[in-house]
C-alpha cells in the first residue's frame, strides 16, 4: 500500500471516520488535495473494502480500514516519543519525521520500540498511543478556548500541526503543565495565560487547538 493511501485512512480516522461518515470536503481540506482526487481515491479504497462511501455524504472506515489507521497512529506516536526522548528532536521535527517512519514500521518494529520506550501511554503532544490490540483510551477533554477568565486547567493535548507546534514550543507550553486563564480579549482576541512563573499571550486560533482537563485540585 502506498503512503498516500495510508494517509487517507489515517486522516479519515482522525476526523471520526471509524464511527461516522466524513465528508469529501472535510477530507480534501485536511489533506489539501482537490475534491476530484479525493473522490477518486475513496473509490479505490472502497474497492479494497477499507471504507464504505455514501453519495453526497462521505466515507466511513471498515474494520480493516480502522486497523490500518490505528497501526499507523501507533507507529507515529511511538516514533515521536523516541525522536524527542533520545534524539533531541523538537515538537514539530518529531511530528514531521514520524509522518515518514509510520509508513515503514511493521508491527514487529513498533512492538519492540514500545518495549524499548517502556510502554509510554501518550505521544509528546498528548495523543494516546494505541496498544498492541489497537485499543485507545482517550479521556474526555475540552478546548482551552472554552475556558473563562479565572479558570485553571491542565494542558493535555495539542493539535499536531507544524506551525502550531513551533509556536507553542517557543511559548514554553508543555503537556501536563498547569495554566490559568487571566483574560480573554473580545472579538477572538488573544488569551492571556498565567503559566509557570510567567504571563504569556496566545492567539485565539491557538487556544482552539489546545485541549485541557479541568483537574479538580486546580479549581
Ligand atoms: Zn504526537
Amino acid at each position: 500500500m502506498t503512503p498516500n493511501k495510508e494517509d487517507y485512512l489515517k486522516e479519515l480516522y482522525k476526523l471520526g471516520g471509524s464511527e461516522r461518515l466524513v465528508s469529501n470536503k472535510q477530507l480534501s481540506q485536511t489533506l489539501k488535495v482537490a475534491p476530484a482526487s479525493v473522490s477518486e481515491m475513496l473509490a479505490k479504497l472502497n474497492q479494497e473494502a477499507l471504507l464504505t462511501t455514501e453519495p453526497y455524504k462521505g466515507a466511513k472506515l471498515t474494520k480493516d480500514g480502522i486497523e490500518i489507521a490505528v497501526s499507523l497512529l501507533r507507529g507515529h506516536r511511538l516514533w515521536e516519543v523516541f525522536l524527542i526522548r533520545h534524539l533531541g528532536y523538537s515538537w514539530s521535527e518529531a511530528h514531521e519525521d514520524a509522518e515518514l517512519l509510520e509508513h515503514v514500521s511493521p508491527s514487529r518494529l513498533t512492538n519492540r520500540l514500545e518495549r524499548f520506550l517502556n510502554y509510554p501511554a501518550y505521544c509528546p503532544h498528548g495523543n494516546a498511543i494505541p496498544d498492541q490490540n489497537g485499543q485507545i483510551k482517550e479521556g474526555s477533554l475540552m478546548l482551552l478556548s472554552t475556558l473563562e477568565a479565572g479558570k485553571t486547567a491542565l494542558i493535555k493535548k495539542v493539535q499536531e500541526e507544524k506551525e502550531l507546534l513551533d509556536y507553542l514550543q517557543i511559548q514554553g507550553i508543555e503537556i501536563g503543565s498547569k495554566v490559568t486563564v487571566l483574560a480573554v480579549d473580545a472579538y477572538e482576541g488573544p488569551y492571556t495565560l498565567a503559566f509557570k512563573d510567567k504571563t504569556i499571550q496566545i492567539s485565539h486560533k491557538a487556544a482552539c487547538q489546545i485541549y485541557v482537563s479541568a483537574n479538580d485540585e486546580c479549581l
Side-chain angles (χ1 to χ4, degrees):
M1 178 171 295
T2 61
N4 194 16
K5 276 188 186 174
E6 293 186 337
D7 285 337
Y8 270 80
L9 298 175
K10 192 180 66 168
E11 284 313 321
L12 203 51
Y13 182 89
K14 282 160 79 177
L15 291 168
S18 61
E19 287 163 356
R20 57 175 184 275
L21 288 160
V22 174
S23 72
N24 291 25
K25 192 178 164 201
Q26 240 184 320
L27 262 179
S28 101
Q29 281 168 350
T30 321
L31 291 163
K32 299 185 178 68
V33 289
S37 317
V38 172
S39 312
E40 203 179 308
M41 181 63 88
L42 291 181
K44 279 188 203 162
L45 292 166
N46 187 7
Q47 265 179 7
E48 292 176 39
L50 296 171
L51 51 80
T52 55
T53 53
E54 272 190 44
Y56 309 108
K57 285 190 177 162
K60 188 176 167 212
L61 293 165
T62 61
K63 199 167 156 281
D64 288 349
I66 293 172
E67 210 171 283
I68 294 172
V70 170
S71 82
L72 289 165
L73 288 174
R74 177 172 153 80
H76 181 102
R77 293 170 183 172
L78 285 167
W79 278 121
E80 285 180 334
V81 175
F82 177 83
L83 296 172
I84 287 181
R85 215 189 264 178
H86 296 286
L87 302 185
Y89 273 55
S90 75
W91 264 10
S92 69
E93 287 172 339
H95 175 69
E96 217 169 22
D97 285 1
E99 285 286 298
L100 305 172
L101 292 165
E102 68 187 21
H103 298 293
V104 288
S105 301
S107 58
R108 176 171 62 188
L109 177 57
T110 46
N111 291 347
R112 298 234 185 132
L113 183 61
E114 183 183 40
R115 192 172 67 192
F116 174 74
L117 296 168
N118 199 19
Y119 303 93
Y122 298 94
C123 87
H125 314 108
N127 286 296
I129 298 175
D131 68 16
Q132 289 193 20
N133 302 317
Q135 299 301 312
I136 309 183
K137 1 171 215 350
E138 299 273 15
S140 68
L141 300 175
M142 52 193 181
L143 287 171
L144 178 60
S145 58
T146 62
L147 294 187
E148 293 162 14
K151 295 282 186 199
T152 295
L154 294 176
I155 294 180
K156 290 293 197 178
K157 185 169 99 170
V158 298
Q159 289 287 5
E160 297 189 1
E161 194 255 305
K162 188 183 175 343
E163 275 175 41
L164 177 77
L165 293 176
D166 286 337
Y167 174 71
L168 295 178
Q169 210 171 22
I170 287 166
Q171 299 282 8
I173 297 277
E174 283 165 10
I175 302 299
S177 54
K178 194 157 113 174
V179 285
T180 303
V181 180
L182 296 178
V184 180
D185 284 20
Y187 297 107
E188 302 191 346
Y191 279 63
T192 309
L193 308 171
F195 168 69
K196 290 184 178 165
D197 293 330
K198 52 183 185 171
T199 303
I200 61 166
Q201 278 200 328
I202 61 163
S203 66
H204 174 80
K205 193 178 172 194
C208 292
Q209 299 185 75
I210 298 173
Y211 295 84
V212 297
S213 74
N215 186 310
D216 288 347
E217 67 188 64
C218 301
L219 295 174

